[in-house]
Amino acid sequence: MTSPLPSSPAASVLDLAPVVPVVVLSDAAHAVPLARALVAGGLPAIEVTLRTPAALEGIRAIAAGVPGAVVGAGTVITAEQVGACVAAGARFLVSPGWTDALLTAMRGSGVPFLPGVSTTSEVVALLERGVREMKFFPAQAAGGTAYLRSLAGPLPQARFCPTGGIGPATAPEYLALSNVGCVGGSWMVPADAVAAGDWARIERLARAAAGLRDAGGTCR
């Protein structure tokens, strides 16, 4: 992910906030108030996953209606999805894994991207292709902080957004690592709060998540 985010002072989505909310939208009508609550809580980078039919409409609504949000698309696995997400207004792309075809599409999209990795060979292969920023997924199942700490020695040029099984108790441990820019998680967007339209609760959870980097100590 080498291109800067449009209209953003940060060079990378990894530097926008310590946590990227991973949002699964069942109703596109929730997209704008949900994004506003997350932004108000200090989490501007929002990953809307392509797991539901409402995802693209939700991305489009956030891009048009929440100026403070940097909305991205997650669970991107095909070249066709890349084009559809960017057309909807996605400002970054996240995949759970990658192939050369998908990587080519993401690289040609004009927006930053985080291809998913879970092994050292995948990391080396991406570095060989000029990609230095990646999603580490599924983080907890793939080795967690111990695995990422081991990668930092031989591959210090790689930076990660670990996602998968991370919560408020473990996020600071990841954020304390030198090769972690941010983490992804969904604990600040609980399904019951979204369904109830409890945006105040989501804003409180987002604000707590935005302060987790300090809880983990020095990250770099």
Side-chain angles (χ1 to χ4, degrees), residues 81-100:
Q81 288 176 330
V82 168
C85 291
V86 174
R91 293 171 63 186
F92 64 93
L93 305 169
V94 184
S95 67
W98 65 278
T99 65
D100 280 322

Side-chain angles (χ1 to χ4, degrees), residues 54-145:
L56 282 178
E57 186 180 346
I59 290 170
R60 191 175 294 109
I62 295 170
V66 189
V70 179
V71 63
T75 322
V76 178
I77 59 173
T78 70
E80 291 76 17
Q81 288 176 330
V82 168
C85 291
V86 174
R91 293 171 63 186
F92 64 93
L93 305 169
V94 184
S95 67
W98 65 278
T99 65
D100 280 322
L102 180 58
L103 188 65
T104 297
M106 290 193 294
R107 196 191 296 273
S109 69
V111 302
F113 56 92
L114 289 172
V117 297
S118 60
T119 70
T120 305
S121 294
E122 291 171 319
V123 176
V124 172
L126 283 177
L127 291 173
E128 186 178 76
R129 290 160 173 78
V131 179
R132 296 180 58 186
E133 297 186 347
M134 312 164 197
K135 172 179 178 173
F136 180 60
F137 176 83
Q140 288 288 90
T145 54

Side-chain angles (χ1 to χ4, degrees), residues 30 33-34 190-202:
H30 292 150
L34 174 59
D192 60 337
V194 176
D198 192 349
W199 312 124
R201 177 185 172 197
I202 289 173

Side-chain angles (χ1 to χ4, degrees), residues 138-214:
Q140 288 288 90
T145 54
Y147 194 96
L148 286 172
R149 188 178 295 110
S150 296
L151 290 180
L155 303 172
Q157 64 272 54
R159 295 182 72 211
F160 301 95
C161 173
T163 305
I166 299 174
T170 54
E173 302 170 11
Y174 283 93
L175 292 168
L177 299 176
S178 62
N179 55 353
V180 169
C182 64
V183 301
S186 58
W187 72 87
M188 76 297 299
V189 286
D192 60 337
V194 176
D198 192 349
W199 312 124
R201 177 185 172 197
I202 289 173
E203 182 179 339
R204 289 194 300 272
L205 291 170
R207 186 169 291 110
L212 285 177
R213 189 183 301 279
D214 293 337

